[in-house]
Amino acid sequence: MMKYRYLTPLLLFSFILASCNKLLDIKPVNRMVPVSIADYESVLLGGYPRADFFIKTELMTDNVYANLATTTSPQKELEQWFTWAPSKVPDGQENDPYWGQLYSSIFYANTVLDNFNERKPASDETALYETVKGEAYALRAYAYFYLVNYYAEPYSQATLKAPGVPMPLSAKNVHQNTQNNVREPLEKVYKQILADMDQASTLLAGKKSINKFRFDLSAVQALRARVLLFMGEYEKAIAAATDVIVTKPLSDMNSMQARIDEKSNATAFTGNVGVIDGDYKNEVLFFTGGSANLNIYYHTMNMFKPTPELLALCTRPNGGSDYRRYIFATFYDPTTPDGKQYGPTLYNMYAKQENPSYYIGLKVSEAHVIRAEAYARLKQKDKAITDLNNLLTRRIKRGEFVPLQAADFTDESLLQRILEERRVELAFDAGLRWMDLRRLGKPALTHVYKNGQLYQLKQNDNRYLLQIPLSELNNSPEMQPNP
C-alpha cells in the first residue's frame, strides 16, 4: 500500500516529552537552537502529531463491536477503552499519552510563535515566515480542539463556564509552568481556538499548499467548519464549509470499479492495498496521528472490528451499490467456519498498515456533511438534500443512484439520515464519532464482551469525559478532576 510519512529536513532543534510526567515537562535534547525561519519551520514540523491520539476512542463508540467468535484475545489496553474503564492508562502509569501528545504539539507551536511574534522577516523570507506562523496557529487550535473535546464538557450555552483545559499560550519559562496549572473555562478555550484559526487563515491565504501533512488554508477552513458546527454556529459553519466545497473536489468512488472488476469483491482491497490508495486520497486535506502499529481494526483475526451497523448503512435496500462498503466488508460467507470467525467486517481504509502511516484528519466530504447538517438544523431542507445528493452520487455506483427527494423526509428524518451518512463517511476518521456522540446528547451505549458480559455507558455518563491525567493532578493540586 502507499505509505504516508513526513519528509522533513533534519531538525536543528528538537524537543522530547520527558516521559510526559507533567503537563509540559519538555526538555531540549541538545544545545543546538533554532536561529533562522527555516530552522523554526523544522521545529514546527516536529510538533505535528506523530502518534495515535484518537484512534482508540473509536473503541468507546457504537462504531466498534467485539467479534466473540474469534480465537484471538485483544490487548488489555484496548479492553479498557472498549469497556469504558474509568481510566484508560495502564495500571501503575500516571501519564496519559493522548494528553501528552497534544500538549507537546502546543509547546512546539508556542515555541515558533514566541519567536515569530518578536521577529521581523526580511522581504525574501516573508512568505515562509507567514506560512510557518500560520501553521503554528492552526496546529495550536487543532490540539486545543481535541483536548477540550476529550477532557471537558461538550460546548453549549449551559457549559460555557465549565472547566475546560489548561491553556498555555507561550513556551517561555515552561518548567515553571509544570505545576499549579488551572483549567480555563470552556468558553475561553473555544474563543482562543477561533482566534488562532483567524490568524492562521489570514497568514495562509494565498500560500501554496506544501503537502497534506501540513495545514493549508483549505484545511484550516475545514477545521473551522468543524469547530463552528460543534458550537452550534450553523450559519458560520455553512460559510466555512462552503469555502472548502467550492475550492476542493470530492473524489468519485466510481473510480474504484476498475480494480473491483479486476480483483473481485473479496480481494479488491486486501493485503497491502487499501481504499486510501486509490483516488480517495485526493480529497484528503490533512493527514494526522501516525501509528507504527498495525491497523487495529483490520486483521481478520482481531476481535475489535467495525460494527455490522456501518455495513448495513452502506447496503440500504434499493439504495444502489455503495462503494463505502469496501471500506468495511470482509465479503466472507457468514455460514462458513472462517466467515464466523473472521466476521462480516474489517477496516480496509489503510489495509494492513504494516509501517508507520497517517490517519485522515480532515477531508472534503466532512465539509459536505457539515453543511448538510447545518442546513437541516436551520430548516433549509432543499439545500440539505442537495448537499446529501452531491455526496451520494460520488459514493454510489453510477446508474444505480436514485436522488433523494425533500418530499420523502420530515425535518427530523432528514437530520437523522444526514447524521447516518456522516457516521459512515467519517467512521474512524480523526476520532469524530466519539466527539459526535458527546455533542449529540451522550446517548446510552452497550458493548457485549467476553462470555456475553454487557458493559453499559449510561445516558450522560461521566465517562463521556476522559479523566484529567493523574500526573497533572499530582503536579497541580488545585486542578479540578472530572467527575
Side-chain angles (χ1 to χ4, degrees):
M1 71 174 278
M2 184 178 296
K3 302 295 186 288
Y4 299 95
R5 303 184 180 90
Y6 277 108
L7 299 176
T8 64
L10 178 65
L11 295 183
L12 299 177
F13 178 78
S14 61
F15 297 91
I16 59 171
L17 279 172
S19 303
C20 301
N21 285 329
K22 300 175 183 176
L23 168 67
L24 286 176
D25 190 7
I26 303 169
K27 302 175 182 178
V29 296
N30 54 47
R31 294 179 178 271
M32 301 181 72
V33 296
V35 176
S36 68
I37 291 174
D39 293 345
Y40 277 97
E41 179 183 30
S42 293
V43 170
L44 182 69
L45 294 180
Y48 277 96
R50 298 185 176 206
D52 160 35
F53 63 95
F54 61 78
I55 198 65
K56 295 184 185 72
T57 65
E58 210 81 17
L59 286 161
M60 298 191 292
T61 75
D62 50 358
N63 276 354
V64 173
Y65 87 112
N67 176 18
L68 302 180
T70 186
T71 58
T72 302
S73 295
Q75 298 174 349
K76 183 178 179 180
E77 180 191 7
L78 301 185
E79 291 181 336
Q80 290 176 298
W81 291 86
F82 187 72
T83 60
W84 301 294
S87 174
K88 310 303 184 297
V89 295
D91 293 341
Q93 180 175 314
E94 292 187 356
N95 46 44
D96 177 344
Y98 280 28
W99 178 276
Q101 170 67 72
L102 292 165
Y103 273 110
S104 176
S105 294
I106 290 167
F107 176 72
Y108 279 76
N110 283 343
T111 298
V112 172
L113 293 173
D114 284 350
N115 179 271
F116 279 26
N117 288 335
E118 299 176 356
R119 175 191 289 259
K120 183 175 176 60
S123 58
D124 61 345
E125 293 181 311
T126 300
L128 180 60
Y129 167 87
E130 292 179 346
T131 297
V132 175
K133 189 175 183 180
E135 287 185 60
Y137 277 117
L139 178 60
R140 189 168 72 180
Y142 188 76
Y144 276 128
F145 176 76
Y146 274 89
L147 283 164
V148 83
N149 277 281
Y150 286 162
Y151 299 95
E153 291 285 354
Y155 185 96
S156 72
Q157 290 303 306
T159 61
L160 296 181
K161 305 303 180 183
V165 293
M167 197 172 66
L169 300 178
S170 173
K172 295 177 181 178
N173 301 320
V174 63
H175 295 295
Q176 297 177 22
N177 296 324
T178 57
Q179 296 181 349
N180 302 318
N181 291 299
V182 296
R183 298 176 67 177
E184 299 292 350
L186 190 68
E187 180 181 31
K188 185 176 180 180
V189 180
Y190 268 89
K191 284 183 176 179
Q192 187 63 49
I193 292 169
L194 293 175
D196 283 353
M197 289 190 297
D198 286 344
Q199 292 277 9
S201 59
T202 298
L203 290 162
L204 293 174
K207 303 299 191 298
K208 184 178 179 181
S209 178
I210 298 173
N211 59 48
K212 294 185 179 186
F213 307 102
R214 299 173 63 170
F215 280 103
D216 64 6
L217 181 59
S218 292
V220 172
Q221 288 301 88
L223 177 60
R224 186 194 303 276
R226 180 190 293 177
V227 173
L228 291 167
L229 179 73
F230 277 52
M231 296 177 69
E233 296 280 358
Y234 300 125
E235 294 282 6
K236 293 178 181 179
I238 288 168
T242 300
D243 285 346
V244 177
I245 291 168
V246 300
T247 57
K248 297 291 183 178
L250 276 168
S251 66
D252 189 345
M253 296 184 80
N254 279 276
S255 63
M256 296 165 51
Q257 190 61 49
R259 180 174 181 83
I260 294 166
D261 291 341
E262 176 186 358
K263 298 290 186 179
S264 82
N265 284 341
T267 61
F269 301 100
T270 58
N272 288 320
V273 177
V275 172
I276 195 67
D277 296 303
D279 181 67
Y280 195 87
K281 66 179 178 292
N282 295 325
E283 76 167 62
V284 177
L285 300 172
F286 178 60
F287 284 104
T288 188
S291 173
N293 300 317
L294 294 176
N295 176 354
I296 60 175
Y297 306 111
Y298 172 80
H299 196 274
T300 50
M301 295 294 286
N302 285 355
M303 179 177 286
F304 297 128
K305 300 282 193 65
T307 177
E309 290 178 16
L310 286 171
L311 195 54
L313 291 173
C314 298
T315 53
R316 296 175 184 270
N318 304 318
S321 300
D322 191 329
Y323 286 107
R324 291 174 298 184
R325 72 189 189 277
Y326 289 93
I327 299 173
F328 305 114
T330 62
F331 294 101
Y332 278 103
D333 182 348
T335 65
T336 65
D338 282 349
K340 292 178 181 178
Q341 179 161 327
Y342 296 158
T345 63
L346 72 171
Y347 186 47
N348 296 311
M349 180 65 80
Y350 306 102
K352 288 185 178 179
Q353 196 169 311
E354 292 175 332
N355 294 311
S357 301
Y358 283 80
Y359 297 108
I360 295 171
L362 295 157
K363 64 184 180 185
V364 178
S365 63
E366 184 182 351
H368 284 257
V369 292
I370 285 173
R371 195 169 75 171
E373 180 182 340
Y375 278 139
R377 292 188 183 278
L378 294 172
K379 310 300 183 185
Q380 298 181 38
K381 184 187 292 187
D382 289 339
K383 291 181 178 179
I385 287 284
T386 296
D387 277 346
L388 202 54
N389 283 333
N390 285 339
L391 173 66
L392 293 176
T393 194
R394 292 166 175 80
R395 299 299 187 245
I396 294 175
K397 189 173 183 179
R398 192 173 292 115
E400 296 185 9
F401 174 59
V402 178
L404 306 178
Q405 302 296 324
D408 295 332
F409 294 92
T410 64
D411 290 340
E412 292 74 19
S413 65
L414 176 58
L415 178 60
Q416 180 61 34
R417 177 62 186 267
I418 291 169
L419 293 175
E420 289 174 355
E421 296 299 343
R422 176 182 171 88
R423 180 183 176 189
V424 172
E425 189 64 36
L426 305 181
F428 301 93
D429 286 356
L432 286 171
R433 185 57 183 170
W434 176 243
M435 292 190 283
D436 274 349
L437 290 170
R438 285 165 37 91
R439 76 178 176 96
L440 296 173
K442 299 182 184 175
L445 300 177
T446 299
H447 283 168
V448 182
Y449 198 39
K450 294 178 179 177
N451 301 316
Q453 184 172 353
L454 298 181
Y455 289 85
Q456 293 183 316
L457 192 68
K458 298 178 181 179
Q459 174 113 28
N460 294 316
D461 200 300
N462 288 334
R463 289 171 294 173
Y464 266 108
L465 281 68
L466 298 185
Q467 186 54 270
I468 303 298
L470 182 58
S471 58
E472 182 62 27
L473 296 175
N474 287 341
N475 284 287
S476 300
E478 301 301 317
M479 177 79 71
Q480 182 177 349
N482 286 325

